[in-house]
Amino acid sequence: MNELLRATASELAGMIADGEVSSREVTQTHLDQIAAVDGRVNAFLHVAADRALAAADAVDAQRAAGEQLSPLAGVPLAMKDIFCAQGMPTTCGSRILEGWLPPYDATITSRLAQAGVVVLGKTNMDEFAMGSSTENSGFFVTHNPWDNTKIPGGSGGGSAAALASFEAPLALGTDTGGSIRQPAAVTGTVGVKPTYGGTSRYGVVAMASSLDTPGPCARTVLDAALLHQVIGGWDPMDSTSINAPLPDVVGAARSGDIAGMRIGVVTELGGEGYAPGVEQRFAEALEALQRRGAEIVEVSCPSFDYALAAYYLIMPSEVSSNLARFDAMRYGLRVGDDGNTSAEEVMNLTRGAGFGAEAKRRIIIGTYALSAGYYDAYYGSAQKVRTLIKRDFDAAFTTADVLVSPTTPTTAFTIGERVDDPLAMYKADLCTIPSNLAGNCAISVPCGLADGLPVGFQVMAPALADDRLYRVGAALEAELAAGWGGSLLDQLLASPAGAYLEGGLR
Amino acid sequence: MALTPADVARLAELARIRLTEDELSALAPQLDVILDAVAGVAEVASADVPLTSHAVPLTNVFRPDVVGPSLAAEAVLAAAPAAEDGRFRVPRILGEEQ
Amino acid sequence: MSVELYDFDQAMAEFDPVLGLEVHVELNTVSKMFCSCANVFGGEPNTRTCPVCLGLPGSLPVVNAKAIESAIRIGLALNCEIAPWCRFARKNYFYPDMTKDFQTSQYDEPIAFNGWVEIDVDGEPFRIEIERAHMEEDAGKSVHVGLSGRIGDADYSLLDYNRAGTPLVEIVTKPITGTGAKAPAVAKAYVAFLRDLMLALGVSDVRMEQGSLRCDANVSLMPKGATQFGLRTETKNVNSLRSIEAALHYEIRRQAALLAGGGKVHQETRHWHEEGHTTPGRSKETAEDYRYFPEPDLVPVAPSPEWIAELRETLPELPDRKRKRLKAEWGFADQEFADIVNAGALDLIEATVAAGASPAAGRKWWLTELARRANEAGCELAELAITPAQVAELQALVEAGTLNDKLARQVIDGVLAGEGSPSDVVTGRGLAVVSDDSALAAAVERAIAANPEVAERIRSGKVQAVGALIGAVMQEMRGQADAAKVRELVLATLS
Ligand SMILES: [Mg+2]
Ligand SMILES: [Zn+2]
């Protein structure tokens, strides 16, 4: 495969800065890869080729002018279609927003532009980030690059698939209940859910405001850290953003030193319901970390058993309110306006036609959970569980520096397998949800294959200790790569299943 | 607490979503299963546990009372399904202001 | 359909009214509640909007610090407790003027609660208990296009979101009982009190005609002596002091007729029409379920005791206390002082006195001549194009003998017409009383010569006849003479 496609973001940035290759060439190569393989993967909803090349040219001009380039300047990125970028279609995977061009940039979009990161386009996702398989996209299903009959995870399946199919070295996601980490796990890539408030939500279309966390997606831990560094930090436009310096995530990713670190295995995130292959890879990863000098301890977080239930009350409640604004009055789809139909009825018809089944389910559950007479039993109780989960984390972090678990109970399931069984679908987020409820940070790092499909290893750290994720993630990545003689994705490229990824670019 | 299609229809009305008969009858049992699964939160939510609405305990985040730029009116109306006289044109409104 | 109305006095003989008033005050911050768009009334539609106040996908609110300060100061002025910790909440309902289809408001955790104010109605004090004062945002404005221009039979509507996101404080009373027949007057006095209070605090322009102060008036009736409140109606957006009184008067008569006829009151919202009646709106039985929950996009507000104490220091002398002080200082009788308050002239007279006039003179000008002008112009006293300092200057000119009352009225004409200060008008119109003794003396001589028989009567001791000669002189001088001086001269000449 073309070495520009296989290179990490960090390597590409170095080559561009050194003038070994232009950003235009790097960008064009990735656009070509998208053209060659996306027909099979379906990762992109929108490819902004002209804009990307113009942005690449700007970086090349900066370099030619002798200007200092920022660490990811000229490197292409695939953006989940939930980030607003002025004048670029933003649909959130929903028909109700089809054709909408935001008149403004998300804070993260601006920071990327500032850093010279080249946005290739927008990636597919479950509608308004609601799902664990990207099957809930209003447009099409994205396929797992490892096995095109499998789901790429969700809601950020498009971003994860773009990375795993070498369409982009960097991607952006949002993680509300696992939407960055679960797709990373099932595609053999790296995904980070930063501390809530550590990355700005301004201009990121809201699903569940108290849980949504934008974050970096990449193929290596260091690349994720470099991207985290660009997008993270305080934003006065987001009231929930934390006004504190970002920890040194890049330094942590470069170091990977975990000697003497106490790593807590969460009892409740394992056992029944977890695939044997997943548990086996997880156990091997623990051994790898021990070899690097970490101490493994066992911790119990009993309230985690209620996390899924609390999540599926809090999240849909916030969804029901956040998605109210899609009412056909100011932007987006409008259905049934024949000059006589009332505004109320046009709202009913538009929302009935524009939202998919999962969006409707969640809006209605949320409407129910917040409605008079049910609030205390549902929403109120769920918020109490949230307190209990935070307490469990606080207690666990007194005995362990980080907590670990498999990222997902199983590997990628087959497309279509769980569409009619929402509850089974929801269980894909069993291990990732607690960190969203507590607001702390977590990462998923590839830890091997089970039945030929990637398995993810999750590391959770306290709020604002995002650097610990990168330290542990880098250690695991290095130790496993040493054993495998390369990255996990190298194994895909080496297998017949990955042959199509060579595209037209051999 | 089995949800009937009529219950779902009432909720859908509150949420301004027109559902077909088929959707109503498919959703009712699905929502039942989900609500059964989540009702367990009440088991551990004892009276002495405080509620958490915000994951990170920040308070008093304000902006200074300073005027910044607004969007140009053309940009504001560019996405409007219909516009007239610099305003968003919407179908006739039956309800009242609140 | 004709509506039956009971006689008001009869209604009050049979029923006790219970009032509840919700007043929305638009704050006069320079930027909006949650974004930095300018907070100004009117303007070209949709020119003061941004992703936040348009509720665009992805946008997030950030609270205006000044709005919080204003809300706390309002709470303190209403003798409320200030919440040490409170949150914003989302009030969920669909309406085209709400860009997010929820209103960011406060629910069970208002920033201020449990207050009271004392108002005065014709010398009788009423204590109004304040339930809460909470922060929220205003909605956009719709124009209904169709034959009538009314919402019910419009063809379509046009929306302007310039007003969307304007900071509001909503002040809600506890049920007000024990007012009897004064209920409408109490409501009016309460809203007038709030208006004065907001002006004194400097937190709002309180222009009712622009909607920066809006009142929803709840009223119910219960049979005399009963303790169980009746079903109430809420009359929305009553936008002048006069309408508040009239709308409640009407509602009481309407409800009394229903109840006396054995019917019952529908719990509903009603609309006030300036022609003098209310019509039914949304029925409360099908009231929306607002599904309030804490706003996740905004963090809690937790004002420290120090901050609250600092804000308390900034409170000006509040109108009710000021009223008590001025009444004592000026020494007017109860009714005289009440007239001043009712005319909205208190601050104007205070400023006039501060500029050097006596309280009596201030009262005289503002309550007679200027009140007449305001009435003719259909505006408030304060809206007249004359300042208290100018009124004081006018009075000084009168006292110096430069102007008599008649000339002073012409000077007022001039000031109101924009001809400058009173002295400017005196100069510009050449209006000063003629004090040139020789000119006056000549005019007196001519008057005496022209009226020999009158002069004779005066000479013979009938001094009261002097009026005729004064009149003649004044006519010749076109009013520009000091009548007292003319009288003096005539008598001296004839003695
Ligand atoms: Mg309100
Ligand atoms: Zn704005």
Side-chain angles (χ1 to χ4, degrees):
Chain A
M1 175 182 272
N2 185 311
E3 72 164 284
L4 293 180
L5 296 179
R6 288 190 70 161
T8 66
S10 154
E11 289 163 356
L12 288 173
M15 290 158 69
I16 293 167
D18 292 344
E20 288 171 38
V21 64
S22 66
S23 172
R24 169 170 271 268
E25 192 181 338
V26 171
T27 301
Q28 187 60 59
T29 305
H30 285 91
L31 289 170
D32 292 345
Q33 174 75 345
I34 294 170
V37 307
D38 208 51
R40 226 165 127 170
V41 180
N42 283 338
F44 281 85
L45 282 168
H46 173 74
V47 178
D50 292 345
R51 236 171 116 142
L53 290 169
D57 288 345
V59 171
D60 290 335
Q62 271 186 316
R63 196 199 156 272
E67 286 176 41
Q68 177 76 38
L69 295 184
S70 55
L72 287 176
V75 180
L77 171 141
M79 183 179 262
K80 187 176 182 180
D81 197 22
I82 198 167
F83 291 82
C84 288
Q86 195 176 335
M88 196 185 282
T90 300
T91 67
C92 301
S94 181
R95 291 280 177 189
I96 212 161
L97 261 187
E98 195 170 2
W100 184 57
L101 302 175
Y104 77 111
D105 276 343
T107 296
I108 287 181
T109 306
S110 308
R111 288 186 181 174
L112 290 175
Q114 204 77 43
V117 174
V118 174
V119 176
L120 294 171
K122 297 298 212 54
T123 58
N124 198 16
M125 55 186 284
D126 286 303
E127 183 173 20
F128 290 107
M130 295 189 269
S132 308
S133 67
T134 315
E135 291 164 294
N136 297 332
S137 165
F139 299 97
F140 45 74
V141 176
T142 299
H143 301 268
N144 192 318
W146 288 80
D147 176 344
N148 296 162
T149 69
K150 303 289 182 188
I151 57 105
S155 64
S159 280
L163 293 171
S165 57
F166 296 86
E167 294 174 328
L170 295 172
L172 275 182
T174 56
D175 193 311
T176 305
S179 286
I180 288 176
R181 290 163 288 163
Q182 184 259 5
V186 301
T187 56
T189 57
V190 176
V192 177
K193 175 208 133 27
T195 298
Y196 180 85
T199 42
S200 168
R201 294 184 294 116
Y202 187 76
V204 184
V205 182
M207 172 193 173
S209 309
S210 78
L211 305 162
D212 294 345
T213 319
C217 310
R219 286 195 294 263
T220 73
V221 173
L222 176 60
D223 283 358
L226 288 165
L227 182 54
H228 195 153
Q229 185 82 28
V230 168
I231 64 171
W234 183 58
D235 176 16
M237 295 298 281
D238 176 356
S239 306
T240 60
S241 166
I242 300 170
N243 189 354
L246 191 69
D248 181 13
V249 291
V250 173
R254 289 196 199 281
S255 129
D257 177 11
I258 56 166
M261 222 175 178
R262 293 165 306 162
I263 291 178
V265 178
V266 182
T267 319
E268 286 76 12
L269 302 181
E272 201 194 327
Y274 287 72
V278 168
E279 296 223 291
Q280 206 172 331
R281 294 292 91 76
F282 178 69
E284 290 162 12
L286 289 177
E287 286 165 20
L289 291 172
Q290 271 176 313
R291 286 199 294 280
R292 286 256 169 165
E295 182 194 338
I296 307 294
V297 298
E298 183 93 18
V299 297
S300 175
C301 297
S303 302
F304 283 16
D305 289 344
Y306 297 89
L308 192 72
Y311 176 80
Y312 275 95
L313 285 166
I314 292 168
M315 175 272 296
S317 296
E318 295 184 11
V319 161
S320 71
S321 176
N322 280 332
L323 268 54
R325 71 190 65 194
F326 302 102
D327 66 359
M329 298 294 114
R330 290 163 298 280
Y331 47 81
L333 188 68
R334 182 182 281 186
V335 173
D337 182 11
D338 59 5
N340 191 39
T341 311
S342 68
E344 288 81 352
E345 184 64 358
V346 167
M347 288 185 190
N348 280 321
L349 295 171
T350 302
R351 292 164 62 82
F355 287 133
E358 183 63 13
K360 290 175 183 169
R361 262 196 292 272
R362 294 194 192 188
I363 290 170
I364 288 172
I365 289 175
T367 303
Y368 181 72
L370 289 176
S371 62
Y374 298 98
Y375 183 93
D376 290 339
Y378 287 107
Y379 192 73
S381 296
Q383 296 222 320
K384 288 183 173 189
V385 169
R386 203 165 177 181
T387 306
L388 296 175
I389 286 167
K390 272 175 84 77
R391 286 179 181 170
D392 277 1
F393 269 118
D394 289 346
F397 285 129
T398 63
T399 53
D401 300 306
V402 295
L403 305 180
V404 295
S405 75
T407 309
T408 59
T410 68
T411 54
F413 49 87
T414 302
I415 290 172
E417 190 181 304
R418 299 189 187 177
V419 271
D420 294 324
D421 187 354
L423 216 50
M425 185 76 90
Y426 297 169
K427 285 183 178 152
D429 297 331
L430 213 50
C431 309
T432 45
I433 280 171
S435 293
N436 295 89
L437 289 171
N440 59 8
C441 55
I443 188 173
S444 177
V445 183
C447 67
L449 299 178
D451 300 324
L453 289 171
V455 176
F457 183 88
Q458 178 177 233
V459 185
M460 296 165 273
L464 291 175
D466 305 54
D467 51 334
R468 293 187 204 169
L469 307 177
Y470 289 99
R471 199 170 286 278
V472 178
L476 182 63
E477 180 181 63
E479 187 66 22
L480 293 177
W484 298 331
S487 75
L488 194 65
L489 280 166
D490 286 343
Q491 297 177 38
L492 171 60
L493 288 179
S495 76
Y500 76 101
L501 292 173
E502 292 294 332
L505 286 166
R506 244 155 299 202
Chain B
M1 82 279 57
L3 276 183
T4 63
D7 294 331
V8 179
R10 187 185 57 80
L11 290 166
E13 197 182 300
L14 206 49
R16 289 263 195 281
I17 297 178
R18 174 62 35 78
L19 296 176
T20 63
E21 289 302 319
D22 286 352
E23 281 179 309
L24 285 173
S25 43
L27 264 171
Q30 276 179 349
L31 297 184
D32 252 354
V33 169
I34 296 166
L35 287 170
D36 267 349
V38 297
V41 288
E43 290 167 19
V44 284
S46 50
D48 58 324
V49 181
L51 281 70
T52 296
S53 58
H54 295 72
V56 180
L58 302 175
T59 55
N60 295 343
V61 175
F62 306 129
R63 44 171 275 272
D65 183 25
V66 174
V67 175
S70 295
L71 290 170
E74 311 82 74
V76 170
L77 293 168
E84 191 174 307
D85 290 342
R87 296 171 168 91
F88 292 86
R89 180 178 162 153
V90 305
R92 63 201 178 87
I93 303 167
L94 294 182
E96 308 167 18
E97 290 175 45
Q98 341 217 332
Chain C
M1 183 185 76
S2 83
V3 175
E4 236 185 288
L5 296 178
Y6 221 49
D7 176 70
F8 185 78
D9 294 334
Q10 187 60 38
M12 290 298 88
E14 293 174 27
F15 299 100
D16 281 326
V18 178
L19 294 176
L21 300 165
E22 294 167 26
V23 172
H24 287 86
V25 178
E26 279 186 353
L27 301 181
N28 59 0
T29 52
V30 301
S31 64
K32 291 187 181 181
M33 184 74 202
F34 300 119
C35 67
S36 60
C37 288
N39 175 28
V40 191
F41 177 78
E44 283 296 300
N46 296 304
T47 52
R48 282 195 293 278
T49 59
C50 72
V52 179
C53 55
L54 284 171
L56 292 188
S59 66
L60 294 173
V62 186
V63 174
N64 183 335
K66 181 77 186 299
I68 301 277
E69 284 188 8
S70 295
I72 293 175
R73 292 176 74 235
I74 289 170
L76 291 171
L78 296 172
N79 301 299
C80 286
E81 292 172 51
I82 304 300
W85 190 90
C86 66
R87 284 178 294 196
F88 284 94
R90 291 189 184 178
K91 179 183 185 182
N92 292 289
Y93 65 90
F94 287 86
Y95 202 76
D97 67 5
M98 291 290 320
T99 57
K100 299 165 293 177
D101 290 296
F102 61 78
Q103 183 191 31
T104 307
S105 180
Q106 292 195 291
Y107 179 48
D108 49 359
E109 297 163 341
I111 183 123
F113 54 95
N114 275 348
W116 59 268
V117 297
E118 195 183 284
I119 59 165
D120 177 285
V121 178
D122 300 333
E124 191 186 346
F126 283 93
R127 185 179 157 106
I128 309 283
E129 303 282 340
I130 307 291
E131 165 100 33
R132 56 190 282 146
H134 71 252
M135 302 176 282
E136 58 185 31
E137 59 179 333
D138 213 340
K141 266 191 158 164
S142 28
V143 183
H144 307 297
V145 181
L147 282 180
S148 71
R150 280 207 300 269
I151 185 168
D153 35 25
D155 293 330
Y156 58 93
S157 296
L158 296 177
L159 284 155
D160 168 15
Y161 295 103
N162 280 347
R163 195 181 68 178
T166 297
L168 289 179
V169 169
E170 180 175 342
I171 301 164
V172 183
T173 66
K174 290 182 182 162
I176 302 165
T177 56
T179 59
K182 284 191 172 173
V186 165
K188 178 186 171 189
Y190 168 72
V191 176
F193 176 95
L194 288 186
R195 184 194 57 186
D196 294 349
L197 185 67
M198 299 306 142
L199 272 182
L201 289 169
V203 294
S204 172
D205 302 339
V206 286
R207 307 287 295 259
M208 291 191 81
E209 75 284 2
Q210 293 184 356
S212 59
L213 185 115
R214 311 197 283 270
C215 179
D216 299 341
N218 291 270
V219 64
S220 66
L221 296 182
M222 54 185 177
K224 278 245 173 262
T227 51
Q228 177 83 43
F229 293 171
L231 290 175
R232 67 169 192 276
T233 59
E234 179 182 9
T235 306
K236 304 289 277 185
N237 284 330
V238 198
N239 289 334
S240 74
L241 292 178
R242 205 176 311 177
S243 311
I244 289 168
E245 195 168 22
L248 283 170
H249 200 266
Y250 178 90
E251 265 306 289
I252 287 171
R253 295 180 63 197
R254 192 188 66 83
Q255 290 188 14
L258 278 172
L259 295 172
K264 70 185 236 205
V265 173
H266 282 285
Q267 186 147 333
E268 64 191 358
T269 61
R270 297 186 67 87
H271 295 283
W272 169 248
H273 301 271
E274 289 301 330
E275 314 86 78
H277 64 282
T278 65
T279 53
R282 176 165 36 97
S283 162
K284 281 278 178 180
E285 280 118 58
T286 58
E288 282 227 48
D289 181 345
Y290 291 122
R291 293 159 285 135
Y292 282 100
F293 72 103
E295 166 58 281
D297 285 330
L298 293 171
V299 305
V301 176
S304 68
E306 296 75 32
W307 190 25
I308 294 170
E310 234 171 78
L311 291 172
R312 195 186 289 278
E313 286 297 305
T314 69
L315 296 185
E317 180 185 30
L318 298 178
D320 51 335
R321 272 165 230 157
K322 179 190 210 165
R323 222 163 276 172
K324 284 190 184 124
R325 174 176 63 79
L326 291 179
K327 183 157 186 285
E329 281 176 19
W330 291 350
F332 288 127
D334 285 357
Q335 190 53 54
E336 285 174 325
F337 194 78
D339 289 344
I340 291 174
V341 172
N342 292 339
L346 191 73
D347 291 342
L348 296 167
I349 294 174
E350 191 196 18
T352 307
V353 170
S358 69
R363 177 174 184 277
K364 181 187 101 179
W365 288 117
W366 285 107
L367 258 54
T368 56
E369 192 55 30
L370 293 169
R372 189 174 61 78
R373 308 300 182 103
N375 201 37
E376 282 167 10
C379 70
E380 300 286 318
L381 274 179
E383 289 165 1
L384 287 175
I386 187 166
T387 66
Q390 289 169 335
V391 174
E393 188 188 342
L394 182 77
Q395 175 63 17
L397 289 170
V398 169
E399 282 169 17
T402 311
L403 296 176
N404 55 25
D405 279 9
K406 186 178 167 203
L407 287 179
R409 283 196 286 275
Q410 293 181 45
V411 170
I412 289 173
D413 288 337
V415 173
L416 293 179
E419 295 168 23
S421 72
S423 346
D424 294 341
V425 177
V426 167
T427 318
R429 293 196 178 188
L431 282 183
V433 167
V434 173
S435 55
D436 174 350
D437 284 0
S438 60
L440 258 189
V444 167
E445 291 296 345
R446 279 194 292 277
I448 290 171
N451 300 282
E453 63 288 1
V454 178
E456 199 44 50
R457 277 159 62 205
I458 297 168
R459 278 200 194 93
S460 67
K462 294 203 158 44
V463 176
Q464 64 271 34
V466 75
L469 291 182
I470 297 173
V473 173
M474 294 299 276
Q475 195 173 4
E476 184 179 340
M477 302 302 287
R478 297 196 318 279
Q480 296 185 24
D482 181 336
K485 187 149 194 168
V486 172
R487 177 191 166 92
E488 212 175 282
L489 261 177
V490 170
L491 292 178
T493 314
L494 293 178
S495 67

